[in-house]
């Protein structure tokens, strides 16, 4: 929680985080790398939506300069105090699973973290928030609120899922990131905006012909574009409404449906053919046999080789 403090010249090393900066703003990933003095363990980005990064960093005592994107973060492990100061206040919070921290685009503040920390971050452009608000037919989004270790298990869990979902399949990973961005943006608009927006409930699924086209595109073994942008455009819907209607029709998100389809393909190939595991991994678009085996085991509990032996 934030508490007003008396004027302190030390706090004037930063600008009031609630006042927009008019100067140049750094890309969020570059500013985070400068402040954390390391590289992310994992990083994935999508030009149409934003980026996700998983970091492990040492203690830090530095000023985070204004960034071009909103930064939303959660903490997958551990529990420790962190301090955040801007030109008029200081916030002290406990970084732990289930809480989120938000650095609004353009804000600046000093951070003091005294121990090693694990953190998952998503970098969200303001244009994405405005697009989702428009597609959801909500009011124009207000400024995001600055939050420091604020309890929000829903947003925290969304970010935690991002760290586990980079499976080594470019198609699946990209679709997941695009979907996650929609969910995080919707949550921020509803809970963490200066003027919280209510999102209308889903009414009805996709028309049968539209659903059939979407599934044909997802099933295609060719180079068909299965990005959320392409799927929504083919259905003549916004990305926001396509995701909701697809899940209403199938019970699964587009990413979950495609992951299930790829698993079924893998099982058929393992059971009915003598193709090697590495060949199956390549056929299904995985970057390596190791990535395929890890994704397969996560869903079935068996490695591909063990599953094949049991089924034959």
């Amino acid at each position: 929680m934030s508490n007003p403090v008396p004027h302190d010249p030390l706090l004037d090393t930063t600008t009031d985080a609630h006042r927009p900066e008019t100067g140049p703003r750094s890309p969020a990933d570059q500013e985070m790398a400068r402040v954390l003095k390391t590289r992310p363990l994992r990083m994935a980005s999508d030009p149409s939506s934003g980026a996700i990064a998983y970091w492990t960093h040492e203690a830090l005592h530095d000023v985070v300069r204004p960034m071009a994107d909103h930064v939303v973060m959660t903490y997958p492990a551990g529990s420790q105090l962190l301090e955040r100061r801007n030109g008029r206040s200081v916030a002290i919070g406990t970084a732990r699973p289930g809480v989120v921290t938000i650095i609004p685009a353009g804000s600046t503040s000093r951070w003091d973290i005294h121990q090693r920390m694990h953190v998952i971050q998503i970098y969200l452009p303001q244009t994405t928030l405005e697009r989702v608000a428009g597609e959801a037919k909500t009011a124009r989004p207000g400024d995001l609120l600055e939050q420091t270790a604020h309890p929000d298990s829903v947003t925290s869990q969304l970010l935690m899922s991002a760290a586990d979902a980079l499976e080594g399949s470019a198609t699946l990973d990209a679709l997941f990131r695009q979907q996650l961005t929609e969910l995080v943006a919707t949550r921020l608009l509803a809970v963490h905006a200066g003027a919280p927006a209510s999102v209308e409930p889903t009414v009805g699924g996709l028309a049968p012909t539209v659903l059939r086209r979407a599934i044909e595109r997802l099933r295609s073994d060719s180079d068909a574009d299965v990005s959320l942008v392409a799927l929504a455009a083919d259905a003549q819907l916004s990305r926001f409404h396509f995701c909701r209607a697809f899940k209403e029709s199938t019970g699964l998100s587009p990413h979950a449906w495609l992951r299930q389809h790829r698993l079924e393909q893998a099982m058929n190939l393992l059971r009915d053919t003598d193709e090697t595991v590495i060949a199956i991994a390549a056929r299904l678009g995985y970057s390596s046999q190791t990535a395929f085996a890890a994704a397969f085991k996560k869903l079935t509990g068996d490695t591909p080789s063990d599953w094949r032996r049991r089924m034959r």
Side-chain angles (χ1 to χ4, degrees):
M1 60 183 290
S2 297
N3 299 309
V5 295
H7 176 76
D8 182 342
L10 291 177
L11 299 186
D12 291 337
T13 58
T14 62
T15 309
D16 186 338
H18 300 278
R19 192 166 62 240
E21 291 290 318
T22 57
R25 301 179 181 184
S26 301
D29 59 330
Q30 293 181 18
E31 178 61 7
M32 286 293 103
R34 183 193 69 80
V35 171
L36 302 181
K37 298 178 176 59
T38 188
R39 294 182 179 180
L41 298 180
R42 276 173 280 172
M43 176 87 184
S45 62
D46 188 310
S48 70
S49 53
I52 298 166
Y54 183 94
W55 303 81
T56 296
H57 66 84
E58 302 301 327
L60 72 89
H61 305 277
D62 205 344
V63 173
V64 174
R65 298 168 184 164
M67 292 177 284
D69 302 323
H70 305 295
V71 177
V72 186
M73 66 186 87
T74 195
Y75 312 93
S79 175
Q80 65 169 288
L81 290 178
L82 54 83
E83 298 177 30
R84 175 187 196 169
R85 299 166 182 261
N86 59 41
R88 68 172 187 174
S89 65
V90 57
I92 300 175
T94 301
R96 56 180 175 78
V99 305
V100 298
T101 292
I102 300 175
I103 305 177
S107 69
T108 182
S109 50
R110 176 181 172 83
W111 290 80
D112 291 286
I113 300 173
H114 303 281
Q115 299 176 23
R116 199 166 193 253
M117 177 177 284
H118 301 271
V119 62
I120 303 164
Q121 298 178 337
I122 185 168
Y123 310 139
L124 197 65
Q126 175 67 12
T127 53
T128 298
L129 278 186
E130 292 176 351
R131 175 182 58 75
V132 172
E135 292 174 358
K137 295 183 171 58
T138 67
R140 181 181 175 85
D143 294 336
L144 281 189
L145 301 175
E146 183 181 86
Q147 305 283 23
T148 305
H150 180 82
D152 181 352
S153 60
V154 173
T155 305
S156 177
Q157 194 56 48
L158 284 172
L159 296 182
M160 297 273 271
S161 70
D164 297 330
L166 302 181
E167 299 178 337
S169 166
T171 301
L172 277 171
D173 292 349
L175 187 56
F176 176 81
R177 290 195 303 272
Q178 294 156 10
Q179 229 175 254
L180 179 72
T181 298
E182 301 295 304
L183 291 170
V184 171
T186 302
R187 176 69 178 174
L188 293 177
L189 289 168
V191 178
H192 297 291
S198 59
V199 177
E200 296 178 2
T202 303
V203 179
L206 296 172
T209 55
V210 175
L211 178 61
R212 185 169 60 251
R213 285 201 310 271
I215 287 176
E216 287 173 354
R217 183 182 281 271
L218 287 167
R219 277 182 174 155
S220 174
D221 291 327
S222 68
D223 293 330
D225 185 356
V226 296
S227 68
L228 194 53
V229 173
L231 288 163
D234 197 38
Q236 298 184 341
L237 292 170
S238 69
R239 284 173 267 181
F240 176 87
H241 285 101
F242 175 80
C243 283
R244 291 182 152 225
F246 186 92
K247 187 168 185 179
E248 183 76 9
S249 294
T250 66
L252 296 170
S253 68
H255 170 263
W257 192 98
L258 182 58
R259 184 176 61 178
Q260 181 66 30
H261 174 62
R262 292 284 174 88
L263 176 63
E264 291 169 1
Q265 286 181 298
M267 288 176 166
N268 290 337
L269 290 167
L270 289 165
R271 184 183 58 239
D272 302 334
T273 76
D274 292 323
E275 282 194 60
T276 64
V277 173
I278 192 169
I280 293 172
R283 180 193 282 218
L284 297 180
Y286 283 88
S287 59
S288 67
Q289 178 180 343
T290 302
F292 169 61
F296 190 92
K297 186 172 183 178
K298 182 178 176 182
L299 293 173
T300 67
D302 284 330
T303 66
S305 297
D306 288 344
W307 190 91
R308 170 177 265 172
R309 279 192 290 270
R310 285 200 306 106
M311 292 297 110
R312 288 187 168 186

